């Protein structure tokens, strides 16, 4: 039996999509939107895969201060780079979500 770790499978998926234009095109057309939550915890491998299957249809949400998965190769600088570029309308649009509807004002006022 072959045993694969997550990174092995991710690299195989990238190879399949990268080496097969028909598969890549089909995936690009199949997904209407690609939504990524906790984008600050995206790894370079995940970013590469998203880049291969996206078609100007990626929506990302994250907070660099909440990046906690560096031990899983998360690269918060991927988030920071896009945040900075999108702030200049370079490559995408940045929308700051400044309102929090889940916490009480007393909690939020102490963490600003």
């Amino acid at each position: 039996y072959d045993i694969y770790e997550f990174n092995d499978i991710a690299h195989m998926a990238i190879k399949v999509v990268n080496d097969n234009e028909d598969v890549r095109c089909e995936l690009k057309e199949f997904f209407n939107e690609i939504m990524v939550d906790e984008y600050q915890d995206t790894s370079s491998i995940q970013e590469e895969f998203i880049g291969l299957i996206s078609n100007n249809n990626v929506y990302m949400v994250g907070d660099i201060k909440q990046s906690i998965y560096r031990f899983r190769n998360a690269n918060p600088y991927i988030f920071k780079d896009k945040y900075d570029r999108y702030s200049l309308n370079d490559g995408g649009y940045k929308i700051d979500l400044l309102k929090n509807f889940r916490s009480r004002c007393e909690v939020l006022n102490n963490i600003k």
Side-chain angles (χ1 to χ4, degrees):
Y1 295 104
D2 289 332
I3 297 174
Y4 298 104
E5 293 183 357
F6 178 81
N7 279 344
D8 299 323
I9 296 167
H11 283 290
M12 285 187 272
I14 288 170
K15 182 168 178 34
V16 167
V17 173
N18 201 33
D19 293 352
N20 296 283
E21 186 177 354
D22 56 330
V23 172
R24 188 171 55 252
C25 289
E26 185 175 337
L27 289 172
K28 283 182 174 234
E29 294 301 317
F30 181 78
F31 295 109
N32 292 323
E33 289 102 15
I34 298 171
M35 302 173 133
V36 183
D37 194 12
E38 305 295 345
Y39 188 68
Q40 75 277 356
D41 289 322
T42 298
S43 71
S44 298
I45 295 168
Q46 293 166 324
E47 180 68 5
E48 183 178 354
F49 185 74
I50 292 166
L52 287 169
I53 65 169
S54 65
N55 193 16
N56 197 26
N57 60 345
V58 180
Y59 304 88
M60 301 152 283
V61 177
D63 180 350
I64 197 166
K65 294 178 284 185
Q66 294 185 22
S67 181
I68 60 172
Y69 286 107
R70 290 188 189 165
F71 67 94
R72 288 189 186 168
N73 298 316
N75 182 353
Y77 297 104
I78 294 170
F79 175 92
K80 176 147 180 23
D81 176 60
K82 283 200 178 159
Y83 185 87
D84 292 344
R85 285 190 303 113
Y86 290 6
S87 294
L88 303 171
N89 292 321
D90 176 12
Y93 300 100
K94 174 191 68 103
I95 301 171
D96 287 318
L97 303 175
L98 301 174
K99 294 190 180 185
N100 182 325
F101 298 100
R102 299 186 314 179
S103 300
R104 295 177 49 190
C105 289
E106 294 83 6
V107 173
L108 296 175
N109 288 339
N110 286 319
I111 60 171
K112 288 184 179 181

